[in-house]
Amino acid sequence: MTRADAVTRAHAMLRSGEFLSQLDRRVAYQTESQNPDQRDALRAYLIDDLQPAFDKMDFATRLIESPGQKGPYLLAEYHESASAPTVLVYGHGDVVDGMVGEWRDNLDPWRTTQIGNRVYGRGTADNKGQHSINMAALQAVRETRGGKLGFNVKFIIETGEEIGSPDLPQVCESLRDELKADLLLASDGPRLSAERPTLFLGCRGGIRVHLDVNLREGGHHSGNWGGVLANPATILANAIASLVDSHGRLQLEPLKPPRLSNQIRAALADVEVKPTADEPAVSENWGEDGLSAAERLYAWNTLEVLAMSSGNIEKPANAIPGRASAILQLRFVVGTKVDNIAEVIRAHLQARGFSMVEVSATQRFAASRTDFDSPWINWTAESIRKTTGKAPAVLPNFGGSLPNDVFTDILKLPTMWVPHSYPGCSQHAPDEHILLSVTEEALGIMAGLFWDLGELKRPL
Ligand SMILES: [Zn+2]
């Protein structure tokens, strides 16, 4: 039995319908972590569905309760040899709101529906489909190797990712020894494009910056007061413009990341940001000068205005509003100093005469990524190339957020993320789906990776 047999076997799991019937069963659990009425579904998903699936592959499983009374965790372990590499795999069983009634053709989010190349259902892309692919690939390799894998596995599934993984850090901290591994190999988020297999090494961080200008109670007639009362909306607009200019370029040095390394430039040199027909076209003349679209998206910081308000836009009065506020978000890469971001912005605004603008920072998630010198990067990329015949896109991080810092900072693991979804997958919206073509390729990619892991005499 060979590597090619393992890949073929994984592909066959899609063609035979086995994979899709597993996925259909998993999608049926209404594991909405933001919905307190679905607490039982989170637990049932782990106990009734995943545990038996891991049992069949000779994994030892146990449920770990959340220290913060949130959804539980499942830890599944398989040990074969002390000298063989150990991989940690991560996934999440919870999903966002099903949004029943908002799907095309009134599709039921809690079952899978195949239409053409698409398989619809809540969680198909985020993340049930993705961890199911990884479990199926483990099964294919195990069957191909006659009941052995050739390496050790620790598989952790959480049920609180969509509420920000509130106690994943604490749980991983407390299981630090048990979760010891040589690398994290996990799947979440989209590929660069449906056609191109992708490896990303971490994620950007995010932080919200609230700007409030509160000058007085209520509005005052613009005819009686215009010219003698300061306008908070005008002040706010100018304050924002001092932070980010009309082309989306950051105006404040401390909000920028360190200079791009040559390694990052090299990795992104062949990465093209190419929206599909149903996605918006990339804006001309937007973002930092001298960077490619991929560099701006994956290796730079952006300050976005998420929301702003003043007066009543539905029914504007002929009045100078009393207050104005905006919520901005800094998306940032590793190396950006964000600890005292509110103070930095406040000092900047004060120096420019905007001392009436109140600044506060909320909702932060960390940026983290694996260093480009990790030997696992080439190893992973090479394995994907061998399976698919395509050079994968290697991204320093993906644009969104993941609890990657738990794995890099607490467990000190190199983090290899191989996503199985694509940018048009409508995750977190109605019509979430995976593509059959990508799923088949992904089953092969993961079987190839797991096969290759079993060929290593010792960890890299
Ligand atoms: Zn999600």
Side-chain angles (χ1 to χ4, degrees):
M1 286 293 180
T2 64
R3 183 184 200 277
D5 295 323
V7 171
T8 306
R9 194 179 282 266
H11 287 160
M13 288 173 76
L14 184 69
R15 299 217 182 109
S16 69
E18 183 182 351
F19 176 79
L20 291 179
S21 77
Q22 272 167 0
L23 184 58
D24 184 56
R25 230 177 39 231
R26 289 175 188 160
V27 165
Y29 290 85
Q30 302 185 17
T31 53
E32 299 164 324
S33 50
Q34 293 151 352
N35 179 354
D37 296 339
Q38 295 295 356
R39 295 293 292 274
D40 292 346
L42 300 176
R43 187 172 295 271
Y45 181 70
L46 301 184
I47 295 178
D48 298 341
D49 199 291
L50 295 191
Q51 244 173 342
F54 280 114
D55 287 347
K56 268 192 213 147
M57 295 194 284
D58 283 340
F59 279 59
T61 58
R62 71 183 173 99
L63 215 65
I64 295 158
E65 295 301 334
S66 142
Q69 323 301 325
K70 307 279 190 233
Y73 296 71
L74 182 69
L75 179 59
E77 291 182 69
Y78 171 85
H79 185 83
E80 200 169 290
S81 135
S83 59
T86 300
V87 64
L88 177 66
V89 190
Y90 160 86
H92 65 91
D94 62 317
V95 297
V96 295
D97 182 3
M99 302 174 189
V100 174
E102 297 176 43
W103 292 53
R104 63 173 279 192
D105 309 326
N106 208 19
L107 292 181
D108 180 355
W110 305 117
R111 49 167 302 192
T112 58
T113 308
Q114 189 184 327
I115 302 175
N117 190 28
R118 296 179 171 194
V119 178
Y120 291 92
R122 176 59 82 226
T124 49
D126 183 19
N127 168 268
K128 290 173 178 173
Q130 303 216 28
H131 61 254
S132 294
I133 287 171
N134 296 353
M135 290 169 69
L138 283 170
Q139 186 188 328
V141 168
R142 186 173 177 273
E143 286 168 3
T144 310
R145 282 213 165 99
K148 297 237 170 218
L149 283 175
F151 56 98
N152 310 308
V153 187
K154 300 173 179 181
F155 208 126
I156 187 164
I157 307 266
E158 70 157 317
T159 56
E161 201 269 350
E162 303 295 359
I163 53 169
S165 304
D167 43 27
L168 184 68
Q170 197 185 339
V171 166
C172 287
E173 183 85 63
S174 69
L175 298 176
R176 193 195 289 272
D177 289 332
E178 221 171 320
L179 294 178
K180 250 197 183 118
D182 299 300
L183 77 156
L184 174 93
L185 185 56
S187 305
D188 202 8
R191 293 172 160 203
L192 179 67
S193 67
E195 293 72 36
R196 191 150 185 214
T198 300
L199 165 62
F200 61 81
L201 309 174
C203 61
R204 288 204 287 186
I207 189 160
R208 283 192 182 174
V209 177
H210 296 241
L211 300 181
D212 293 288
V213 187
N214 191 357
L215 298 186
R216 62 191 79 85
E217 276 309 310
H220 286 75
H221 194 281
S222 55
N224 299 340
W225 296 95
V228 295
L229 277 191
N231 187 317
T234 309
I235 291 172
L236 181 64
N238 283 279
I240 293 172
S242 79
L243 297 169
V244 53
D245 77 2
S246 59
H247 295 277
R249 292 175 295 215
L250 291 170
Q251 298 299 295
L252 186 50
E253 236 17 72
L255 299 185
K256 295 182 185 176
R259 221 173 58 86
L260 263 68
S261 72
N262 290 337
Q263 275 167 318
I264 288 179
R265 285 194 178 248
L268 292 176
D270 73 340
V271 173
E272 221 185 311
V273 178
K274 217 166 67 189
T276 57
D278 49 0
E279 292 170 333
V282 169
S283 301
E284 296 287 330
N285 243 323
W286 187 260
E288 190 69 20
D289 291 330
L291 299 183
S292 71
E295 287 167 344
R296 295 198 300 271
L297 189 53
Y298 300 115
W300 200 251
N301 298 351
T302 61
L303 187 65
E304 302 297 345
V305 178
L306 302 183
M308 56 198 296
S309 84
S310 190
N312 183 345
I313 193 72
E314 306 298 333
K315 269 200 228 161
N318 291 326
I320 300 161
R323 55 192 304 167
S325 46
I327 299 175
L328 280 61
Q329 185 186 45
L330 182 72
R331 283 270 174 195
F332 60 95
V333 298
V334 163
T336 311
K337 292 190 180 63
V338 293
D339 287 347
N340 58 348
I341 192 101
E343 290 91 273
V344 167
I345 292 176
R346 198 174 298 129
H348 161 89
L349 291 177
Q350 257 162 17
R352 275 156 193 79
F354 296 113
S355 51
M356 67 296 274
V357 179
E358 294 162 36
V359 185
S360 60
T362 59
Q363 204 209 58
R364 25 179 104 214
F365 30 89
S368 65
R369 69 175 170 235
T370 292
D371 256 12
F372 264 92
D373 47 20
S374 166
W376 290 105
I377 300 173
N378 261 334
W379 178 87
T380 306
E382 187 50 30
S383 171
I384 295 173
R385 197 200 51 74
K386 208 164 153 186
T387 305
T388 63
K390 306 176 192 171
V394 179
L395 309 179
N397 38 247
F398 94 127
S401 61
L402 282 170
N404 187 66
D405 57 317
V406 172
F407 307 111
T408 51
D409 299 0
I410 297 176
L411 298 177
K412 310 277 182 220
L413 296 177
T415 50
M416 305 295 126
W417 292 88
V418 181
H420 306 323
S421 146
Y422 80 113
C425 70
S426 300
Q427 72 178 100
H428 292 202
D431 300 344
E432 176 179 354
H433 62 277
I434 47 171
L435 298 180
L436 287 171
S437 52
V438 173
T439 302
E440 181 167 3
E441 189 175 68
L443 283 161
I445 285 173
M446 296 313 293
L449 281 164
F450 290 137
W451 180 272
D452 293 343
L453 208 51
E455 295 290 289
L456 291 176
K457 295 273 174 294
R458 64 189 71 79
L460 294 180

